[in-house]
Amino acid sequence: MNLREAVSRTLKEAGKFNRSVQAQPEAILWTDAECQWEPVVKALQASGRSVLRLGDYSPDALQGPAIWLKCALAGKLDGVVLDGVPVVYLPGVSRADLRAIESCPRHLQPLAELQYRGVFWTQVNAKDWTLNAFLTSKNGGLGLDVAQDQATQKALLRALSSGELMDKSVEELRGRLIDAAWLDSLLAPNPTRDILVWMNDAKAIEGAWQGGRWEVFVSRCRKDFGFDPAKDGELTAAEKLAARTGSWVAVWELYKDAHSSFPAVVDLLSRVQYSVGDLFADTSAYPKANDEGESELRYRLNASSAMTAAQARAAILDAEKQHGERRCWLWAQMGKAPLARALGHLAFVAQHTEAAAFGNSFESQAERYREEAWRVDAEALQALAQAHTKADQDAVAAALRAVYLPWLEASSVAFQKAVAEAGGLNPGGVSKVSDPAGTCVVFVDGLRFDVAQMLASRLGAMGQVALSSGWTSLPSVTASGKAWVSPVANLIAGKADDADFGPNVAETMKPLNTYNFRKLLADAGYEPLSGSEVGDPTGKAWVECGDLDHFGHEHGLRLARDIDSQLAEIVERLQALAEAGWRRFRIVTDHGWLLVPGGLPKAELAKSQAETRWGRCAVLKDSATATPLTFGWDWCPQVQIAFAPGIASFVAGAEYAHGGLSLQECLVPELTLELEGGVSETKVSISKLAWRGLRCNVEVLPPLPGLKVDIRTKAAAEDSSIVAVVKDLVEGKASLAVADDANEGAAAVLVVLDSQGKLLAKMNTTVGE
């Protein structure tokens, strides 16, 4: 029972049979000289209690002058229906005003005689009920412990007006001291948060909190936080918040944890000036200090473009000492320190690109790359991913190019030398792969080794992940490389006049276009899946997903920023396949790529020598002179391919490229994902069940392959089937016929079964209903 209910109960008691006049009172007169009970009256009216109010004419609010009240009590007003003994609330009127009829104010005179036909709601001593009296009195009141100081009496009215006190249960109020501090805490239970709410939109909040809530807020701010919101304003609050002394420490901690809830506060803090004289002052709470740090760092990163690699490394590491701490500042979490965040990745690149030892054989180089060097490429991507504005992109690109490009060049030259000495990457040719049943081979175009590491970390939540690597075909382009890593690579061959790296079906030497490739896969037992198809999890399948390579060619450096979204699409596709029942995935790719801010260096190759020229490789004409880096095409060695030296490109201006000889392009990852738990729990639902005579039409979602439907008298008993034939679901639909018409009207169960006969879903039905 809350305060409104307690008042309603005592009013009901007052309206009972009056023994003194031997009659039921016609009305309960509620006098309130101090106008304290207005909120309770509104609450009673809202709850459906018949409460008439003296005041200006407003019939919809059951309010009007004295003569209107008399008519309403007499039942003479259309639309005014009173239930039980009505209450007449008289704000600003005391019992004494009605008792002395000869001096009763004229506007009250029509009500004076009601005191003889009705009853006053008063204390036992005939005094009006005040809020304090009702709460404290043990004779007709609630008997609560209420402090009697002036501050508490004011706080009582504030808490009642706000509705907070009215909603408290009487049981909760008993056994505690009700004083000003506790009552004010009802209106402002979290003053620390209230300050931030007010700072976020001071003018609107002041208007919304006008009255008791605003008074309490101002009072608490003065007492607990040492400032006056009404006089000092929100900028003073921002100064105190940034200074973080005393009770403002708690406000700052809350702001750090929930800054997104107060988006305008950072603009206030940006207007606060910090002290620049003290070298040891903590300026981390001042956005202006962070902004100035970003500007200074932007200048230093841009300056790296005019330095040698060694100088640039030293400059980046020195900048890291000064600006690295800003990554721990709130502003970095809010995305307002992109250069400080990029600097951490740049520092890693600077530290790990100084060593010049790469190994002699390309296998030893691959081992070193798999163990640690791939992190350089990953950190370079992360550095580029932090910058979103052109000014920041230019600064990060300048610093990264200064230290990353020389390392890429040196490692590629060492790799090319090792490959040249070995005579190629794949002297043994293509190898045949045999996948067990239940394997879904997932092809991702352009899944570079470092990006595969990122994907592996995301897939770890799904099951056991293993990462290995192999070599792409030469050249490292999709037309050649996708066939090389496919399960049907042993059924593919090239010929001497293939100038665009597109091999053929070995048996017929027809071009390996999409149709012929999918046919080869299907003939080899791999179901090619398109779009959102999920296939049969008990077989084998080939799926293509991801858009890394296309995105890189289309957007260049922006690929670094969108790596996460690209990987999220791949994971989403794998999760859909896993939900459909696939438990083993082998993820393969065709090639990696180079991503170089500022573009790859230009290499010259005369057009007269090239049959087909791509950025990093070209098919030489028969009459052309071989370059120092010329190798046979892995699908047909008679096709001679010239590779650009180092990380150069035959096409000027390219930031993203592949097809050449580098670890980043040629070392291709292979991920194996094993999901635990055997066959997954397939979830389906029966979306439609309709009878036409003894034929039942069924629809099941999602429309998975390999499912069957049956109608039984006992769901788990296969021998209780009553249909002529158990049916396969085709695109989620089936029609079953009941064999014996004697079953018409019988209770039965429609069951959905997987390929192993396991019950997946059921629905009760009546045959022929």
Side-chain angles (χ1 to χ4, degrees):
M1 180 177 64
N2 57 29
L3 180 57
R4 175 187 61 78
E5 293 165 339
V7 172
S8 180
R9 186 190 64 180
T10 57
L11 284 169
K12 186 177 181 180
E13 289 293 324
K16 288 183 177 179
F17 185 81
N18 192 320
R19 293 180 180 178
S20 63
V21 296
Q22 294 297 307
Q24 185 84 16
E26 293 187 18
I28 301 169
L29 299 178
W30 184 352
T31 52
D32 181 16
E34 298 181 18
C35 299
Q36 295 182 346
W37 292 103
E38 291 270 11
V40 178
V41 171
K42 291 180 180 178
L44 288 171
Q45 288 179 325
S47 68
R49 190 77 160 80
S50 295
V51 181
L52 302 172
R53 188 184 186 284
L54 177 67
D56 294 333
Y57 179 67
S58 180
D60 291 341
L62 294 180
Q63 175 178 295
I67 192 65
W68 181 87
L69 293 175
K70 288 203 69 173
C71 293
L73 291 170
K76 301 300 183 182
L77 299 178
D78 293 338
V80 178
V81 180
L82 302 177
D83 183 25
V85 180
V87 176
V88 179
Y89 175 62
L90 305 171
V93 178
S94 68
R95 180 175 178 174
D97 292 334
L98 291 176
R99 295 294 285 176
I101 297 179
E102 66 280 359
S103 61
C104 182
R106 185 172 180 81
H107 74 283
L108 294 177
Q109 288 178 3
L111 299 176
E113 57 86 23
L114 278 177
Q115 63 186 300
Y116 304 111
R117 293 188 292 114
V119 62
F120 283 100
W121 182 59
T122 60
Q123 302 182 55
V124 292
N125 60 6
K127 291 184 178 180
D128 292 345
W129 277 117
T130 63
L131 177 60
N132 179 66
F134 184 74
L135 293 175
T136 58
S137 175
K138 295 181 180 179
N139 194 354
L142 300 181
L144 302 177
D145 185 7
V146 180
Q148 297 303 302
D149 58 278
Q150 188 176 8
T152 298
Q153 297 307 305
K154 291 182 178 180
L156 269 176
L157 298 179
R158 287 197 297 265
L160 184 65
S161 298
S162 71
E164 297 293 338
L165 182 59
M166 199 180 313
D167 294 333
K168 291 292 181 183
S169 71
V170 174
E171 289 302 318
E172 183 180 349
L173 296 174
R174 286 198 174 102
R176 68 165 306 121
L177 173 64
I178 300 173
D179 58 7
W182 182 78
L183 289 165
D184 285 347
S185 72
L186 296 180
L187 275 70
N190 191 342
T192 302
R193 183 178 179 83
D194 286 346
I195 286 179
L196 293 172
V197 171
W198 169 73
M199 289 175 66
N200 195 57
D201 193 349
K203 187 173 292 185
I205 293 301
E206 184 173 352
W209 289 354
Q210 274 302 323
R213 178 78 186 274
W214 178 251
E215 292 175 17
V216 170
F217 175 64
V218 172
S219 175
R220 295 292 295 270
C221 286
R222 288 173 183 162
K223 179 181 177 183
D224 299 339
F225 300 99
F227 90 110
D228 188 325
K231 295 179 180 179
D232 298 332
E234 60 268 32
L235 189 57
T236 299
E239 292 172 348
K240 291 181 175 294
L241 178 60
R244 295 168 296 166
T245 59
S247 55
W248 285 93
V249 173
V251 183
W252 174 256
E253 291 301 319
L254 177 59
Y255 178 59
K256 280 204 309 182
D257 292 340
H259 58 83
S260 60
S261 299
F262 315 105
V265 171
V266 66
D267 296 327
L268 272 179
L269 290 168
S270 296
R271 293 159 55 188
V272 176
Q273 184 61 53
Y274 67 98
S275 175
V276 296
D278 187 356
L279 294 176
F280 301 101
D282 182 1
T283 59
S284 61
Y286 297 88
K288 189 170 287 188
N290 177 69
D291 293 344
E292 291 173 0
E294 286 288 286
S295 296
E296 198 268 343
L297 179 55
R298 188 178 297 109
Y299 173 81
R300 294 179 67 170
L301 294 178
N302 277 314
S304 301
S305 62
M307 300 178 183
T308 65
Q311 290 171 335
R313 290 188 188 99
I316 289 171
L317 295 176
D318 184 61
E320 168 67 8
K321 294 177 183 177
Q322 180 180 343
H323 294 277
E325 66 170 347
R326 288 198 291 110
R327 290 193 293 277
C328 300
W329 291 9
L330 173 61
W331 322 119
Q333 299 174 33
M334 295 172 67
K336 294 181 177 296
L339 293 181
R341 294 176 70 93
L343 183 60
H345 302 292
L346 288 171
F348 183 96
V349 175
Q351 286 176 327
H352 292 81
T353 54
E354 189 173 3
F358 300 104
N360 295 323
S361 69
F362 63 80
E363 289 292 353
S364 64
Q365 293 178 31
E367 182 65 25
R368 179 177 177 273
Y369 186 82
R370 284 191 294 263
E371 289 179 355
E372 57 180 28
W374 66 268
R375 297 182 183 276
V376 174
D377 294 316
E379 293 293 322
L381 285 180
Q382 290 301 311
L384 291 169
Q386 308 308 314
H388 291 257
T389 67
K390 186 177 185 307
D392 288 348
Q393 288 171 356
D394 290 346
V396 173
L400 187 59
R401 184 177 178 86
V403 295
Y404 183 52
L405 186 143
W407 178 83
L408 276 178
E409 176 71 19
S411 64
S412 296
V413 168
F415 180 70
Q416 290 163 3
K417 180 181 178 183
V419 173
E421 290 176 354
L425 281 176
N426 299 294
V430 69
S431 56
K432 183 178 179 180
V433 177
S434 178
D435 291 304
T439 299
C440 183
V441 181
V442 181
F443 173 77
V444 180
D445 194 355
L447 184 65
R448 199 169 72 173
F449 190 88
D450 56 314
V451 181
Q453 291 277 10
M454 301 178 198
L455 179 60
S457 66
R458 287 161 173 77
L459 296 178
M462 294 179 61
Q464 295 293 322
V465 181
L467 174 61
S468 60
S469 67
W471 297 110
T472 184
S473 66
L474 291 183
S476 51
V477 295
T478 301
S480 182
K482 182 165 78 169
W484 191 262
V485 297
S486 74
V488 292
N490 61 309
L491 305 176
I492 298 170
K495 55 185 179 180
D497 59 352
D498 290 332
D500 289 317
F501 311 120
N504 310 276
V505 178
E507 185 177 356
T508 63
M509 292 311 285
K510 291 181 178 179
L512 193 69
N513 54 28
T514 301
Y515 173 80
N516 288 330
F517 181 57
R518 290 170 67 89
K519 188 175 185 304
L520 276 182
L521 288 167
D523 291 345
Y526 290 83
E527 182 182 4
L529 303 179
S530 302
S532 58
E533 293 175 348
V534 294
D536 179 5
T538 63
K540 294 187 283 189
W542 170 272
V543 172
E544 297 182 21
C545 64
D547 202 28
L548 290 162
D549 188 43
H550 179 267
F551 198 94
H553 284 298
E554 192 75 19
H555 301 287
L557 291 185
R558 187 178 166 185
L559 173 63
R561 249 173 42 206
D562 285 84
I563 287 288
D564 284 341
S565 61
Q566 295 292 323
L567 294 181
E569 291 181 10
I570 297 169
V571 172
E572 182 179 347
R573 180 68 167 122
L574 291 174
Q575 287 173 336
L577 291 164
E579 289 173 3
W582 292 98
R583 312 312 289 165
R584 184 177 187 273
F585 299 91
R586 187 166 64 87
I587 303 165
V588 298
T589 190
D590 48 356
H591 58 75
W593 32 267
L594 296 174
L595 187 67
V596 179
L600 281 71
K602 178 72 165 61
E604 298 299 332
L605 180 67
K607 290 183 178 180
S608 60
Q609 289 191 295
E611 189 73 40
T612 301
R613 185 173 64 170
W614 291 23
R616 294 271 289 147
C617 60
V619 176
L620 295 177
K621 292 181 177 179
D622 293 338
S623 59
T625 303
T627 68
L629 285 175
T630 299
F631 296 90
W633 181 32
D634 277 335
W635 288 111
C636 181
Q638 290 87 348
V639 178
Q640 292 295 291
I641 302 169
F643 292 88
I647 58 168
S649 172
F650 294 135
V651 178
E655 291 181 324
Y656 174 94
H658 59 87
L661 279 171
S662 68
L663 284 164
Q664 288 78 8
E665 297 164 278
C666 297
L667 185 71
V668 291
E670 181 175 303
L671 286 164
T672 302
L673 172 63
E674 300 270 0
L675 275 60
E676 297 177 358
V679 179
S680 67
E681 189 69 27
T682 305
K683 296 180 180 179
V684 297
S685 62
I686 301 168
S687 60
K688 179 182 176 182
L689 189 159
W691 287 95
R692 296 191 65 179
L694 294 180
R695 183 166 291 278
C696 182
N697 295 315
V698 181
E699 291 186 17
V700 173
L701 293 175
L704 302 177
L707 303 185
K708 302 176 182 294
V709 282
D710 189 8
I711 299 176
R712 302 170 176 176
T713 56
K714 298 178 181 179
E718 184 178 351
D719 58 2
S720 69
S721 175
I722 58 175
V723 298
V725 178
V726 176
K727 288 292 190 73
D728 292 323
L729 283 163
V730 179
E731 295 183 354
K733 299 178 181 179
S735 180
L736 300 100
V738 174
D740 188 347
D741 59 7
N743 287 310
E744 187 172 3
V749 184
L750 174 73
V751 294
V752 182
L753 312 167
D754 67 12
S755 58
Q756 307 301 315
K758 181 180 179 181
L759 194 151
L760 302 179
K762 64 185 181 70
M763 180 181 288
N764 294 331
T765 185
T766 300
V767 177
E769 184 179 51

